[in-house]
Amino acid sequence: MGESWGWRRWAFSVFLGIMVLHIVAILVFTRGFLLTRTELSQYSQCSDISQSPCFSPYDFEQKNHGKTEQNDENDHHQNNQTIKPQIQTQSCWTNPAVDRVIIIILDALRFDFVAPSSFFEEKKPWMDKLQVLHKLASTPGLAAKIFKAIADPPTTSLQRLKGLTTGGLPTFIDVGNSFGAPAIIEDNLIYQLAQNGKRVVMMGDDTWVQLFPHHFHTSYPFPSFNVKDLHTVDNGCIEHLLPSLYKEDWDVLIAHFLGVDHAGHILGVDSNLMIEKLEQYNGILEKVVEVLKSLSGPGGLHENTLLLVMGDHGQTINGDHGGGSAEEVETAIFALSLKNSSSSLPCESDNSSCQLEMEKKRMSIGSMYQLDFAATVSALLGLPFPFGSIGRVDPELYGLAAGTGESRILGMNNHKQSGFEEWIKNYVNVLCINSWQVKRYIDVYSASSTIGFSGKDLMHVSDLYAQAQEIWSQNFKTSLLCKNESCFTSSSAVRMQIDAYSNFLSTVAGLARSKWTEFNLRMMSIGFCLMVASIFIHVYVIKRLDKHFGLSFPFSGNSWVSFSSVFAYTVVLIRASSFLSNSYILEEGKVASFLLATTGILQLRHAIIKKKMILEGLAFILLVLMLKLGIELGQAKQAVNSLFLKFQPSWTLGIFSDSEILMNMVDIVPLLGLISLSCILYKCTSCGAFKGVLTYITTGTIFNYVLIALFWASDSSLPCLPLVFKAFKGNLIPRIVYASSFLQILSLAIVQLFTRETSTHQEESTVVKALAMLCSWSSTVILLSGKQGPLVALSSIIAGWCIIKLMRHEHDSDSCCSGNSSFYSFPVAQWSLLATSLFFCTGHWCAFDGLRYAAAFIGFDEFNLIRQAFLLTLDTFGFSHILPVLGLPLLVAYTLQKRQAKQKSSLFSVCLCQVFLMYGLIMAVSVTFTILCVTIQRRHLMVWGLFAPKFVFDVVGLILSDFVICLASLYYLL
């Protein structure tokens, strides 16, 4: 007995050691792969402009000084006293083109929320709701325009705000800070505003205060992470926005609304609530524009104010974001300059598209990168560009606000030249400053970073910059300060100069996008080698257990077991090898279901030959086909949760609100699933297998199912149910379910701690304990998974039953071999493929837009990081990682139930340990190939949009599985 307990403790130590090894390997590899770029400590200063080859505002001032001196020396003296102080306080690197800027951010603003429906092939219900923007953008003579703004992934709010303010490209690992934003320590637009005397007022999303804790003159932050709260942040912005427009105590105003983002997370884009939010925003923007126009006259408070209405990112049709799909990266910027101007670039500009909007007025829509935002706003306000900015001053947005032809822009009094000529000369000088700053940053970054850019890349960038500067020296250095109209540079030379600078800036941006992260190959190699070592440890321990307990057998002894075990190894390697291709990663769910169906067909063929278990084989294959349907829906980004979680069915599936029968099925089928689960548990309870505290656990689980049914009925679309069950709305039922599940798990732990089963009843005891543990977790996982949960639970029960029955059939015919690890390789491989299929069938995929954030707030309105992270983890990995590991002992227990007691006492624990090891081995092999994939594809275009998210999800799943295996070994073995 003592020896038995000794090796069981040794088995737990092995599981714990493997988990620690995996953690170390992943941390080491992550340290080399998901490094953030080097954040430099340098900050741009006003005095830095003297080091550039370009002209500063003071150069233009001196030009004015000379020209005025020729006409009237006394007037010069008077003007110098009045103008120069203004330049010193308002000008820095460029002459300011606007006095005040209003930035209204509508979080998760899709491009088709803003652009007219005439720009799209098909009109959707959520289009044409922001009519005020259409009206302004199509009004002749008004400096207003809509831009398609392209964001860089990852498209989480924190990374987009960081990118907008720094002008850089946030790296993938910053996603981990999305729920706990650290203060930005590198140079940024907000810092430059505060450093140069600009007063910034912020209201809305409290992420701004976390990123810039000491930079705002006044701030009105509101909590942002409760996705069920659609109105608190928006109402706070509305309360402070309109009154602030009448005040003079600010230069830049930032209002960050969150309603559209939260509405998308809860109900998706195709919901009535989303349309209501957009209509509300339209009314707010109408009032804002009305106030600005009323105060924009000569000498008015907003005479020279620029209004920007923009999104930080887009969202998918399901309301998710975080990845790099077109729906997520395409957002919008609307710009309105209140100066009387016709200076915006013509509709035929290179980056514009023109069509007729709803009222048949001609409208132009431009295109720009969010990367260019910080540099453009800095140039418009006359600020130093953030030191790490690699964006370009966008010509259309800059021209809309700065191309007025007024003498104040260039500090010139020469009215003979056209306004466009003055604007283009000023823009060329701004591009010169822009390019000089980017070149300076690249040089410093490459010198201070351990790896930086390659010598070849730096040489290419330097050549492009040198070519642009050569054109500058030849054509513009004298013409910008020329006193005569005749020396203005030709339009072809201007175009050549702009193209040269633009080519340099776009090349740098492209280089940064492809090679921004500093990969430490040494750390990555060490992490990979540790993962490979863990695989060998798994195999060694499994084979040692076979040998030590005398379970080895020759492969020639049973042809089916030999073939099935080899086939299982092949299936695992095929699936793991598929991760080396980006196409197969995108289709991972289909690959897993195909391989699972293949194993089922193989078993069905064997069953037909043996003329046994044919029904189970057919049921298993049919079930896999149903899972395949769910995976197809999930990969279409209209996941099963879109059908069952939402109150409005998905238009993608062809289900509309006027289809009453289908609407009712969406509500009735999950309730039938809960009834079926309750009947199964009741049958288990009544058969007498469950005794004592276990009876109470199953009874409590049935009670939880009833509560979940009432909770869903209260929000049902069936006319009668919401009225009857209205009292069950709110957070009470989910909290009761959580508390009940916790008490059930705690009771099982206490029972296990103070009771010991004899070895003769180990299999029966394990079956009861496994079913009780699965019951304890099931109600919470089902509740978090939404109305799809009961169907997924039933599918997993039926599939598991089929796998066990087919395996027992082999045990009955070849019991002499059932103790060997090779006997369990095939069913464990099926179990793993089933778990993977359940992950994708529940509407998840390996990307951050595959997370259902709303599930983390079921039962709670306030945000708590630990609690919400735990609930989100249960929703994401409950059916695919936690429950499958807890159910693994059923494979062994049901197989060995007919063994004699003497055989079972020495065999059961060994086989259970081997099954856990084999399951962990499959997970380790998959993650090792994922690590190999991201190592090979680290320079791939989709590294941050596809490979890195896959890596994160896989390693989190591996660590979670290792952790659950450790706990399960304590529960089942000790």
Side-chain angles (χ1 to χ4, degrees):
M1 183 69 177
E3 181 181 355
S4 175
W5 283 110
W7 88 260
R8 291 179 185 181
R9 287 194 293 269
W10 172 85
F12 171 74
S13 302
V14 170
F15 293 133
L16 183 62
I18 289 174
M19 182 180 70
V20 172
L21 180 60
H22 284 163
I23 293 175
V24 173
I26 291 168
L27 289 177
V28 172
F29 183 86
T30 302
R31 185 71 182 271
F33 175 62
L34 293 183
L35 287 175
T36 57
R37 59 182 171 84
T38 303
E39 295 185 350
L40 304 181
S41 58
Q42 286 91 331
Y43 288 79
S44 297
Q45 305 293 335
C46 279
S47 58
D48 294 343
I49 193 65
S50 61
Q51 305 171 15
S52 76
C54 315
F55 293 102
S56 69
Y58 308 103
D59 295 317
F60 290 118
E61 178 200 349
Q62 292 174 3
K63 174 185 175 182
N64 273 350
H65 175 84
K67 290 166 58 179
T68 309
E69 185 179 28
Q70 293 177 1
N71 297 325
D72 191 338
E73 184 175 354
N74 293 331
D75 288 345
H76 157 72
H77 181 71
Q78 182 179 358
N79 290 338
N80 191 43
Q81 287 182 336
T82 57
I83 294 177
K84 187 171 182 178
Q86 182 181 7
I87 293 176
Q88 287 179 335
T89 57
Q90 294 188 359
S91 299
C92 194
W93 283 15
T94 61
N95 282 284
V98 296
D99 296 330
R100 311 179 102 194
V101 176
I102 300 172
I103 302 174
I104 298 178
I105 299 176
L106 307 180
D107 206 291
L109 185 72
R110 286 168 57 107
F111 176 62
D112 57 5
F113 287 171
V114 178
S117 58
S118 58
F119 282 77
F120 304 93
E121 294 181 357
E122 182 181 358
K123 182 178 179 180
K124 304 297 182 183
W126 56 82
M127 295 180 179
D128 297 325
K129 301 305 176 185
L130 300 179
Q131 285 290 316
V132 61
L133 304 185
H134 298 175
K135 181 179 179 181
L136 294 170
S138 60
T139 301
L142 187 64
K145 191 167 187 175
I146 294 173
F147 296 84
K148 176 191 285 187
I150 310 299
D152 289 288
T155 48
T156 50
S157 293
L158 183 143
Q159 281 66 45
R160 288 295 83 236
L161 295 183
K162 188 173 182 178
L164 285 168
T165 55
T166 63
L169 297 171
T171 48
F172 182 87
I173 199 170
D174 292 333
V175 172
N177 297 324
S178 292
F179 291 100
I184 295 179
I185 60 174
E186 61 181 328
D187 198 1
N188 58 81
L189 177 62
I190 306 300
Y191 170 84
Q192 291 296 340
L193 287 168
Q195 189 71 13
N196 291 276
K198 302 293 184 180
R199 299 159 298 175
V200 185
V201 172
M202 190 286 303
M203 57 197 69
D205 188 346
D206 60 354
T207 303
W208 286 90
V209 179
Q210 299 174 43
L211 292 174
F212 312 102
H214 307 296
H215 296 76
F216 297 116
H217 181 263
T218 306
S219 62
Y220 306 98
F222 300 92
S224 59
F225 288 117
N226 185 359
V227 295
K228 294 197 301 182
D229 186 353
L230 302 180
H231 306 295
T232 298
V233 177
D234 288 359
N235 291 341
C237 288
I238 296 170
E239 178 185 356
H240 298 286
L241 176 58
L242 293 177
S244 297
L245 298 179
Y246 294 96
K247 299 179 181 179
E248 300 182 7
D249 61 347
W250 58 268
D251 300 294
V252 175
L253 186 149
I254 300 172
H256 192 145
F257 291 78
L258 279 177
V260 162
D261 179 63
H262 288 184
H265 281 307
I266 296 176
L267 297 176
V269 171
D270 54 339
S271 63
N272 292 331
L273 189 58
M274 178 67 74
I275 295 175
E276 292 174 3
K277 267 297 171 186
L278 292 173
E279 291 174 344
Q280 180 190 21
Y281 288 168
N282 187 69
I284 296 169
L285 294 175
E286 282 183 341
K287 295 179 181 179
V288 169
V289 173
E290 182 180 349
V291 172
L292 295 180
K293 285 186 174 181
S294 67
L295 300 175
S296 63
L301 185 61
H302 296 294
E303 178 185 7
N304 191 25
T305 295
L306 175 66
L307 171 65
L308 298 173
V309 180
M310 59 188 294
D312 54 347
H313 51 75
Q315 57 179 304
T316 66
I317 196 70
N318 268 351
D320 302 317
H321 58 88
S325 68
E327 294 174 307
E328 296 165 273
V329 300
E330 291 181 359
T331 181
I333 294 179
F334 168 81
L336 170 64
S337 177
L338 296 171
K339 292 181 291 191
N340 294 324
S341 168
S342 59
S343 62
S344 57
L345 294 184
C347 186
E348 291 76 15
S349 176
D350 293 341
N351 294 326
S352 297
S353 59
C354 303
Q355 291 190 26
L356 298 178
E357 50 94 37
M358 288 185 64
E359 298 182 0
K360 307 303 180 184
K361 295 181 180 179
R362 191 166 177 80
M363 180 187 295
S364 169
I365 291 185
S367 179
M368 64 177 291
Y369 287 98
Q370 280 191 355
L371 186 68
D372 303 335
F373 180 81
T376 304
V377 174
S378 297
L380 290 172
L381 289 171
L383 301 172
F385 297 178
F387 187 82
S389 172
I390 57 172
R392 180 187 68 155
V393 177
D394 185 77
E396 293 185 90
L397 182 56
Y398 184 81
L400 182 142
T404 63
E406 296 180 7
S407 59
R408 70 184 298 277
I409 294 181
L410 290 176
M412 302 170 69
N413 292 323
N414 184 359
H415 296 282
K416 294 181 180 180
Q417 294 180 337
S418 67
F420 183 76
E421 289 175 342
E422 294 186 17
W423 175 84
I424 203 69
K425 290 170 71 174
N426 186 52
Y427 179 66
V428 169
N429 185 64
V430 169
L431 271 187
C432 177
I433 297 173
N434 190 181
S435 301
W436 162 77
Q437 162 56 30
V438 172
K439 179 61 167 59
R440 181 177 71 153
Y441 169 69
I442 292 298
D443 291 341
V444 174
Y445 180 83
S446 299
S448 59
S449 178
T450 51
I451 299 178
F453 301 107
S454 67
K456 181 180 179 181
D457 292 331
L458 289 176
M459 184 176 297
H460 178 58
V461 167
S462 298
D463 289 343
L464 291 177
Y465 182 73
Q467 294 172 13
Q469 286 305 113
E470 183 178 356
I471 300 174
W472 166 266
S473 300
Q474 293 176 357
N475 298 327
F476 286 93
K477 200 162 187 177
T478 56
S479 66
L480 281 182
L481 296 179
C482 182
K483 303 176 183 178
N484 300 320
E485 181 181 358
S486 59
C487 64
F488 181 72
T489 309
S490 65
S491 60
S492 60
V494 171
R495 172 55 60 185
M496 183 183 299
Q497 180 69 78
I498 292 177
D499 288 345
Y501 280 136
S502 298
N503 187 28
F504 163 75
L505 292 169
S506 62
T507 300
V508 171
L511 181 65
R513 286 188 175 97
S514 63
K515 298 184 178 182
W516 199 247
T517 301
E518 298 176 0
F519 297 109
N520 189 326
L521 292 178
R522 181 172 177 270
M523 300 290 286
M524 294 170 69
S525 300
I526 294 174
F528 176 75
C529 291
L530 290 175
M531 282 301 304
V532 173
S534 75
I535 293 177
F536 283 106
I537 292 175
H538 275 97
V539 175
Y540 172 76
V541 175
I542 291 172
K543 293 304 177 183
R544 184 182 176 186
L545 288 176
D546 273 344
K547 183 178 180 180
H548 182 73
F549 288 90
L551 300 176
S552 58
F553 78 100
F555 277 95
S556 59
N558 185 292
S559 59
W560 165 249
V561 174
S562 303
F563 174 76
S564 63
S565 61
V566 172
F567 188 80
Y569 304 147
T570 305
V571 166
V572 171
L573 290 176
I574 288 175
R575 177 173 177 265
S577 300
S578 69
F579 299 155
L580 299 177
S581 167
N582 62 324
S583 299
Y584 280 103
I585 291 178
L586 289 171
E587 305 293 342
E588 182 183 357
K590 296 180 181 179
V591 171
S593 64
F594 171 79
L595 294 175
L596 183 61
T598 303
T599 62
I601 292 173
L602 185 65
Q603 282 187 318
L604 178 61
R605 177 183 177 275
H606 185 66
I608 292 175
I609 294 175
K610 294 284 187 177
K611 297 181 180 181
K612 292 182 179 180
M613 298 293 174
I614 298 176
L615 180 62
E616 286 79 359
L618 287 173
F620 185 74
I621 293 176
L622 291 176
L623 184 65
V624 173
L625 292 178
M626 294 179 61
L627 293 178
K628 177 76 180 305
L629 176 62
I631 294 170
E632 292 280 357
L633 298 177
Q635 290 193 340
K637 292 201 173 182
Q638 278 295 311
V640 178
N641 70 297
S642 177
L643 174 61
F644 293 106
L645 262 183
K646 295 181 183 179
F647 308 132
Q648 294 295 331
S650 169
W651 60 268
T652 302
L653 301 177
I655 302 175
F656 298 91
S657 58
D658 57 354
S659 179
E660 185 176 351
I661 296 178
L662 294 176
M663 290 279 290
N664 293 339
M665 286 181 60
V666 170
D667 292 308
I668 293 175
V669 171
L671 299 181
L672 294 177
L674 285 174
I675 293 174
S676 301
L677 290 172
S678 300
C679 291
I680 293 174
L681 288 183
Y682 178 77
K683 184 177 180 181
C684 292
T685 305
S686 61
C687 71
F690 286 26
K691 300 177 182 179
V693 69
L694 302 179
T695 303
Y696 295 104
I697 287 176
T698 53
T699 304
T701 302
I702 295 174
F703 177 70
N704 287 342
Y705 290 164
V706 174
L707 291 179
I708 294 173
L710 294 176
F711 179 67
W712 288 342
S714 65
D715 284 324
S716 171
S717 60
L718 294 174
C720 57
L721 292 183
L723 296 177
V724 178
F725 300 108
K726 185 177 181 180
F728 296 100
K729 284 188 176 182
N731 298 326
L732 179 60
I733 286 181
R735 293 184 180 184
I736 293 176
V737 172
Y738 298 152
S740 176
S741 296
F742 175 76
L743 291 176
Q744 288 174 333
I745 296 171
L746 183 63
S747 300
L748 288 175
I750 294 174
V751 169
Q752 175 65 14
L753 186 63
F754 292 103
T755 61
R756 287 287 183 269
E757 294 287 341
T758 62
S759 59
T760 55
H761 299 91
Q762 216 167 2
E763 288 73 20
E764 294 80 358
S765 172
T766 300
V767 170
V768 173
K769 290 195 296 184
L771 294 178
M773 181 60 73
L774 292 174
C775 289
S776 300
W777 284 94
S778 64
S779 53
T780 296
V781 175
I782 289 174
L783 176 62
L784 294 174
S785 298
K787 295 183 179 181
Q788 62 174 336
L791 302 183
V792 177
L794 282 174
S795 300
S796 61
I797 290 173
I798 296 173
W801 176 79
C802 290
I803 293 174
I804 292 172
K805 290 285 288 184
L806 291 169
M807 184 184 62
R808 286 190 70 181
H809 166 60
E810 294 305 321
H811 166 264
D812 294 338
S813 59
D814 299 288
S815 59
C816 62
C817 305
S818 60
N820 187 273
S821 60
S822 299
F823 179 81
Y824 291 102
S825 57
F826 191 84
V828 171
Q830 284 185 305
W831 204 269
S832 174
L833 290 172
L834 175 62
T836 304
S837 299
L838 291 175
F839 176 81
F840 291 95
C841 183
T842 50
H844 297 98
W845 54 91
C846 294
F848 289 102
D849 56 351
L851 296 173
R852 288 199 297 264
Y853 298 102
F857 290 91
I858 295 177
F860 301 95
D861 293 325
E862 64 281 358
F863 176 77
N864 178 279
L865 178 60
I866 297 177
R867 181 181 61 217
Q868 263 60 56
F870 179 74
L871 294 178
L872 187 62
T873 301
L874 282 183
D875 172 65
T876 306
F877 299 108
F879 275 119
S880 59
H881 290 74
I882 298 175
L883 295 182
V885 172
L886 294 176
L888 272 175
L890 295 175
L891 286 176
V892 181
Y894 276 116
T895 304
L896 298 180
Q897 271 187 340
K898 295 183 180 181
R899 283 269 182 169
Q900 295 180 5
K902 186 176 180 180
Q903 293 176 311
K904 290 192 292 186
S905 62
S906 60
L907 190 61
F908 175 79
S909 299
V910 178
C911 293
L912 183 56
C913 182
Q914 287 182 322
V915 166
F916 279 138
L917 285 169
M918 282 188 285
Y919 193 85
L921 173 63
I922 294 174
M923 296 287 294
V925 169
S926 299
V927 172
T928 301
F929 272 82
T930 300
I931 288 177
L932 179 62
C933 169
V934 296
T935 303
I936 296 173
Q937 307 286 5
R938 64 188 183 279
R939 299 298 184 190
H940 194 280
L941 178 66
M942 296 296 294
V943 63
W944 304 123
L946 177 64
F947 298 113
K950 167 65 176 170
F951 167 76
V952 170
F953 273 78
D954 277 8
V955 298
V956 171
L958 174 65
I959 298 302
L960 180 61
S961 297
D962 286 342
F963 180 72
V964 177
I965 287 175
C966 286
L967 295 182
S969 66
L970 287 174
Y971 180 66
Y972 293 112
L973 290 177
L974 297 184

